[in-house]
Amino acid sequence: MAVVKNLGKEEIEITLEDQQQINTFARQNTRMEELKVEIETKKNDLKNLEDASDELLMVEESVISYKVGEVFIQMAQEDIEDHLEKARTRMKDEITSCEEQFVEIQEVLKSLKAKLYGKFGNSINLEADEE
């Protein structure tokens, strides 16, 4: 069991439970940062899909080259429209799922902050560094 001085006042005992809560906070905080990046990336991907759908409306050809992975395949315009619509729907669902996870993690972090600041006060810093 470790002991931390509380800014020269009294000593505070760090229990295993405290350490586990600090570790959980760190892991959840890291996951939240990863989700921020993932949500932003997915929103950009969604915008690209929407732009592709808009561009497709201006094409007057019946067969169009469509890139799948590293390969271009020839597809009918209607098939591409269907494919893009499904991809947009899937991307919106993924964004919603990530945003829900983000909110859940925020609640966990809020609860842990309250507990840890309640016990350790200014002896612990749980705020993100400004870049």
Side-chain angles (χ1 to χ4, degrees):
M1 214 175 295
V3 176
V4 174
K5 291 204 181 225
N6 188 4
L7 298 177
K9 297 177 184 171
E10 78 268 1
E11 293 182 355
I12 300 174
E13 188 177 299
I14 300 175
T15 65
L16 176 60
E17 181 182 350
D18 295 333
Q19 187 60 52
Q20 289 173 335
Q21 288 177 346
I22 292 168
N23 292 344
T24 299
F25 183 90
R27 281 191 306 274
Q28 293 297 319
N29 194 50
T30 300
R31 179 63 183 138
M32 189 172 76
E33 293 302 317
E34 291 169 350
L35 279 171
K36 282 181 187 177
V37 172
E38 188 175 345
I39 289 168
E40 192 60 36
T41 301
K42 288 182 183 301
K43 284 183 177 180
N44 287 336
D45 291 347
L46 179 61
K47 184 183 180 315
N48 290 339
L49 288 169
E50 290 169 347
D51 289 346
S53 292
D54 293 343
E55 290 291 324
L56 191 59
L57 295 174
M58 292 185 260
V59 175
E60 295 180 10
E61 300 173 25
S62 60
V63 177
I64 301 168
S65 293
Y66 183 75
K67 186 175 181 184
V68 178
E70 299 293 322
V71 179
F72 285 93
I73 58 174
Q74 299 289 319
M75 292 178 72
Q77 185 171 352
E78 308 85 40
D79 294 338
I80 293 174
E81 289 171 355
D82 291 342
H83 184 73
L84 287 173
E85 182 59 37
K86 289 176 185 174
R88 283 197 321 258
T89 300
R90 187 174 48 251
M91 189 62 62
K92 287 177 183 176
D93 291 344
E94 289 175 13
I95 290 170
T96 300
S97 174
C98 286
E99 289 173 339
E100 288 170 355
Q101 289 176 41
F102 188 85
V103 169
E104 289 172 9
I105 290 172
Q106 281 181 318
E107 292 301 316
V108 169
L109 292 178
K110 183 178 176 182
S111 172
L112 287 171
K113 270 186 183 183
K115 289 177 186 175
L116 293 170
Y117 277 130
K119 180 165 184 176
F120 297 105
N122 292 333
S123 298
I124 191 167
N125 180 13
L126 302 174
E127 302 304 320
D129 293 333
E130 296 296 321
E131 294 181 18

